[in-house]
């Protein structure tokens, strides 16, 4: 191919740095201008200094990693990845931290293709492919190796010194700004995803090879004595459902037509999630650590709730219609129900609706002769392709937003579509309760159900969509999650649960921290790892008998 132009690495690297700071950072700059009090000419020196600092810092970084033959491959990779990062930040108002990188790396191919659309392709072509093509057509005049090393070292030192000097000169402006608006550092690309990938990899490398047992002392407590009937508890682990859009919590639209008619349903109105992404919330929920002590490596290095239930002699089954259980079901039977099955009324060619997880479940329960805990991990309200999450019958709020390009839809249409997913989740949980009621009658089993969502969702509030915002400045919509408990009369009597007492506590502030201890408490499983003060049923059982 004929070269378009000749240049040397120093000029090219500086040009690429300028291009990155200018072309890919619309989200960063609009936030930056907003936190400096809105655009004003008197701030022009501050804008200019910030711009120069970023270009110089990036120039130092690029000079380091684009050594000789690495120049074109590294820049091509960076143009392409940064184009996608810029797309996600501007499209969904998201920022990029290590949890976001983890969510991207650990997602399944179907979830990834759900995000694909023509606007994303346009970003990829204009900001990824085009600059890459230009780089490959420029002839680079490479100096001798020793001269190249010397020049690069000089460029790095000079860039860092000038950036450092400018930073010092404007330190009074920058220090409070970056302290109060830490999200800015997660918005600056490509630095954000490089830093996030690095900390994600560091976490993965440091992962403990062994898993320490916990709750080996777990035993069934006094209420299990003289047991004549088996017990089955279903935990419905929701996906991306936010409490605000449940009519059970006062939402104006009737999104819970079925659950609101289920007698004995207990709805907790004030529950906070452990994280804002599946990759954090799910392992945290099933660990004994609680949010303040949670880290991925700690959770991975010790057993969790399902192990403790197994130690007490119960059968555990995880049925999955999501991207996996994030390690929490590693030592219990697992069934992947997310792959389409020919002949199922709940699957299409691409995926299965959540009700598919109920198919064959009564038979599974009958086949076990033990007490059971079953987790049903929903696809729920996973976005941005909300319209794919429910069958035709639940297309009740219209018009829908039937594209992953949310910018093409009005907020009302996005909310309509999201509300349809909640309507379907309402139906799914209600169907599960009906199945349990029937089994209680026909199979002489005492039954109960607990539902909670892993995290919430932003639906355009403050320009934010989806979820995964860093917890400390995440909007409430991403943290306030629905939670319901349903106990059959026989279950309630067996475990001496005073439901009027539980109902009186439903408006208290709870969180995912309560789940581990409450499931054990509800099932009267005694172990030193259960913290009674975090068990939301503790106050509602006869004192001293557990
Ligand atoms: Zn999730």
């Amino acid at each position: 191919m004929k070269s378009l132009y000749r240049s040397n690495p120093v000029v090219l690297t500086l040009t690429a740095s300028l291009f990155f700071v200018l072309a890919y950072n619309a989200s960063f700059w609009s936030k930056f201008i907003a936190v400096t009090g809105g655009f004003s000419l008197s701030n022009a020196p501050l804008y200019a200094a910030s711009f120069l600092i970023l270009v110089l810092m990036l120039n130092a970084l690029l000079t380091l990693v684009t050594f000789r033959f690495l120049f074109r491959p590294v820049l091509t990779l960076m143009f392409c990845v940064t184009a996608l990062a810029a797309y996600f930040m501007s499209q969904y108002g998201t920022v990029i931290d290590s949890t976001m990188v983890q969510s991207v790396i650990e997602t399944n191919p179907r979830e990834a293709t759900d995000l694909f659309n023509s606007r994303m392709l346009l970003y990829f072509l204009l900001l990824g492919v085009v600059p890459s093509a230009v780089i490959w057509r420029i002839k680079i005049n490479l100096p001798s190796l020793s001269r190249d090393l010397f020049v690069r070292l000089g460029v790095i030192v000079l860039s860092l010194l000038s950036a450092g000097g400018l930073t010092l000169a404007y330190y009074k402006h920058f220090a409070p700004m970056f302290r109060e608006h830490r999200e800015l550092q997660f918005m600056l690309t490509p630095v954000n995803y490089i830093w996030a990938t690095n900390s994600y990899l560091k976490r993965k490398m440091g992962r403990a090879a062994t898993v320490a047992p916990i709750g080996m002392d777990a035993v069934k407590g006094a209420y299990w004595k003289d047991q004549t009937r088996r017990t089955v508890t279903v935990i419905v682990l929701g996906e991306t459902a936010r409490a605000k859009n449940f009519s059970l919590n006062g939402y104006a639209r009737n999104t819970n037509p079925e659950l609101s008619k289920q007698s004995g349903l207990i709805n907790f109105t004030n529950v906070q999630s452990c994280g804002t992404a599946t990759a954090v919330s799910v392992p945290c929920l099933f660990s004994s650590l609680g949010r303040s002590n949670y880290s991925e490596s700690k959770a991975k290095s010790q057993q969790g709730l399902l192990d403790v239930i197994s130690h007490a002699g119960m059968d555990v089954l995880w049925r999955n219609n999501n991207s996996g259980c994030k390690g929490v079901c590693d030592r219990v039977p697992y069934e992947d129900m997310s792959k389409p099955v020919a002949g199922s009324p709940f699957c299409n060619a691409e995926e299965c609706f959540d009700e598919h997880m109920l198919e064959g479940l009564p038979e599974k329960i009958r086949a076990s002769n033990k007490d059971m805990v079953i987790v049903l991990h929903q696809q729920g309200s996973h976005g941005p392709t909300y319209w794919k999450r429910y069958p035709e019958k639940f297309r009740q709020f219209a018009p829908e937003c039937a594209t992953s390009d949310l910018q093409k839809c009005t907020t009302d249409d996005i909310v309509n579509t999201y509300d349809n997913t909640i309507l379907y989740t309402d139906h799914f949980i209600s169907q599960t309760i009906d199945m349990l009621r029937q089994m209680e009658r026909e199979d002489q089993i005492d039954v109960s159900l607990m539902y909670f969502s892993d995290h919430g969702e932003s639906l355009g509030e403050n320009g934010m969509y989806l979820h995964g915002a860093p917890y400390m400045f995440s909007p409430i919509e991403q943290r306030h999650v629905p939670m319901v408990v349903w106990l059959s009369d026989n279950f309630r009597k067996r475990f001496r649960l005073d439901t009027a007492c539980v109902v009186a506590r439903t408006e208290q502030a709870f969180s995912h921290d309560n789940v581990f201890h409450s499931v054990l408490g509800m099932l009267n499983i005694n172990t030193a790892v259960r913290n009674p003060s975090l068990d939301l049923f503790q106050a509602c059982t006869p004192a001293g008998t557990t």
Side-chain angles (χ1 to χ4, degrees):
M1 204 193 301
K2 212 170 151 284
S3 298
L4 281 175
Y5 185 67
R6 281 172 169 273
S7 188
N8 69 60
V10 175
V11 174
L12 276 177
T13 310
L14 188 64
T15 312
S17 306
L18 272 164
F19 187 58
F20 274 119
V21 176
L22 268 181
Y24 299 76
N25 279 292
S27 302
F28 173 84
W29 288 115
S30 64
K31 179 81 188 177
F32 182 86
I33 289 171
V35 305
T36 51
F39 185 80
S40 103
L41 270 184
S42 60
N43 276 338
L46 178 67
Y47 302 150
S50 311
F51 179 75
L52 271 176
I53 290 168
L54 296 177
V55 171
L56 288 165
M57 299 282 273
L58 191 59
N59 191 50
L61 177 75
L62 289 183
T63 305
L64 190 71
V65 298
T66 56
F67 191 65
R68 296 181 88 87
F69 67 90
L70 287 175
F71 190 89
R72 289 187 177 106
V74 166
L75 278 180
T76 302
L77 182 69
M78 284 182 68
F79 285 136
C80 292
V81 178
T82 315
L84 295 176
Y87 165 77
F88 282 108
M89 288 191 297
S90 73
Q91 177 85 343
Y92 299 121
T94 50
V95 299
I96 296 175
D97 65 352
S98 71
T99 305
M100 186 63 80
V101 167
Q102 179 177 15
S103 300
V104 170
I105 291 172
E106 295 179 6
T107 190
N108 65 25
R110 194 188 63 228
E111 286 179 359
T113 49
D114 269 359
L115 291 166
F116 191 82
N117 63 47
S118 55
R119 191 188 301 255
M120 179 173 167
L121 189 68
L122 193 68
Y123 263 79
F124 189 72
L125 283 176
L126 287 182
L127 292 177
V129 175
V130 170
S132 301
V134 170
I135 282 287
W136 285 89
R137 293 203 64 184
I138 290 175
K139 175 145 179 62
I140 301 168
N141 296 326
L142 271 185
S144 68
L145 183 63
S146 55
R147 190 178 152 76
D148 198 10
L149 276 173
F150 179 76
V151 171
R152 274 174 197 274
L153 189 67
V155 168
I156 291 173
V157 170
L158 206 65
S159 298
L160 290 179
L161 280 178
S162 335
L166 274 169
T167 307
L168 275 181
Y170 283 87
Y171 189 75
K172 250 184 17 211
H173 295 275
F174 292 141
M177 193 194 310
F178 279 88
R179 198 166 48 231
E180 273 168 50
H181 299 281
R182 287 193 52 194
E183 66 272 30
L184 279 169
Q185 63 185 303
F186 301 112
M187 298 177 94
L188 183 69
T189 199
V191 184
N192 55 0
Y193 70 79
I194 295 173
W195 176 80
T197 307
N198 179 45
S199 54
Y200 167 74
L201 291 175
K202 271 208 316 234
R203 264 195 294 141
K204 285 284 152 188
M205 306 289 189
R207 182 198 283 195
T210 54
V211 179
I214 65 161
M216 296 301 286
D217 60 339
V219 287
K220 290 174 175 170
Y223 303 151
W224 290 88
K225 284 214 180 87
D226 309 319
Q227 177 187 7
T228 56
R229 291 154 62 98
R230 287 169 61 208
T231 291
V232 171
T233 293
V234 171
I235 294 174
V236 176
L237 171 55
E239 175 61 67
T240 317
R242 63 187 217 178
K244 190 177 171 184
N245 291 46
F246 270 49
S247 52
L248 288 173
N249 296 323
Y251 189 51
R253 261 181 182 169
N254 188 8
T255 48
N256 298 121
E258 298 189 33
L259 281 179
S260 56
K261 292 195 194 89
Q262 283 287 2
S263 64
L265 191 89
I266 304 168
N267 177 53
F268 292 87
T269 61
N270 188 5
V271 182
Q272 297 263 330
S273 65
C274 178
T276 63
T278 313
V280 174
S281 280
V282 171
C284 179
L285 262 166
F286 286 85
S287 81
S288 59
L289 294 163
R291 199 179 75 76
S292 54
N293 285 320
Y294 173 81
S295 76
E296 189 188 351
S297 62
K298 270 196 222 164
K300 287 243 156 76
S301 66
Q302 65 174 53
Q303 294 183 344
L305 177 62
L306 302 181
D307 300 287
V308 179
I309 292 168
S310 302
H311 299 330
M314 299 181 77
D315 265 357
V316 176
L317 170 66
W318 184 291
R319 281 196 152 189
N320 201 70
N321 192 28
N322 202 292
S323 58
C325 75
K326 315 290 171 199
V328 306
C329 66
D330 284 355
R331 293 161 296 280
V332 301
Y334 173 89
E335 290 179 333
D336 183 7
M337 311 289 288
S338 66
K339 305 275 179 303
V341 175
S344 166
F346 303 113
C347 299
N348 55 34
E350 268 182 64
E351 61 188 83
C352 299
F353 300 121
D354 285 329
E355 276 174 280
H356 179 47
M357 289 191 286
L358 299 180
E359 286 192 279
L361 191 56
E363 291 75 9
K364 282 268 164 192
I365 294 172
R366 288 183 194 116
S368 160
N369 56 4
K370 288 185 172 176
D371 301 300
M372 286 187 94
V373 170
I374 298 157
V375 182
L376 303 176
H377 191 188
Q378 283 187 276
Q379 179 74 270
S381 305
H382 188 84
T385 50
Y386 306 117
W387 85 96
K388 290 186 178 178
R389 301 286 97 88
Y390 45 86
E392 191 62 36
K393 208 179 120 194
F394 296 87
R395 216 163 288 270
Q396 292 191 18
F397 302 113
E400 279 181 312
C401 169
T403 169
S404 61
D405 190 352
L406 297 180
Q407 304 293 338
K408 284 185 180 159
C409 299
T410 65
T411 304
D412 285 351
D413 295 358
I414 295 168
V415 173
N416 287 340
T417 321
Y418 181 82
D419 285 346
N420 288 333
T421 68
I422 301 295
L423 208 53
Y424 184 57
T425 285
D426 175 75
H427 173 72
F428 171 66
I429 302 168
S430 195
Q431 286 290 106
T432 312
I433 294 175
D434 288 346
M435 182 208 79
L436 290 172
R437 279 188 205 278
Q438 191 178 349
M439 292 207 76
E440 177 161 79
R441 276 196 311 272
E442 296 175 1
D443 298 84
Q444 310 298 311
I445 300 173
D446 295 338
V447 291
S448 61
L449 174 140
M450 189 184 261
Y451 161 78
F452 38 80
S453 178
D454 62 344
H455 51 75
E457 184 84 325
S458 285
L459 294 173
E461 295 88 3
N462 300 316
M464 290 179 90
Y465 295 91
L466 307 180
H467 55 267
Y471 199 88
M472 63 165 60
F473 38 79
S474 59
I476 186 68
E477 291 84 6
Q478 296 190 18
R479 282 181 280 120
H480 184 198
V481 288
M483 179 162 116
V484 303
V485 169
W486 176 83
L487 315 165
S488 78
D489 284 345
N490 288 322
F491 186 97
R492 181 175 57 74
K493 283 180 199 147
R494 159 102 79 89
F495 292 104
R496 318 279 204 280
L497 290 158
D498 175 355
T499 38
C501 161
V502 180
V503 169
R505 292 162 61 84
T506 49
E507 286 177 14
Q508 285 183 26
F510 291 113
S511 73
H512 279 169
D513 288 10
N514 297 99
V515 168
F516 179 95
H517 309 278
S518 304
V519 171
L520 295 176
M522 180 176 100
L523 287 167
N524 186 215
I525 292 174
N526 291 338
T527 162
V529 290
R530 184 178 78 93
N531 178 352
S533 68
L534 288 173
D535 171 5
L536 52 88
F537 301 106
Q538 171 72 14
C540 301
T541 52
T545 50
T546 57

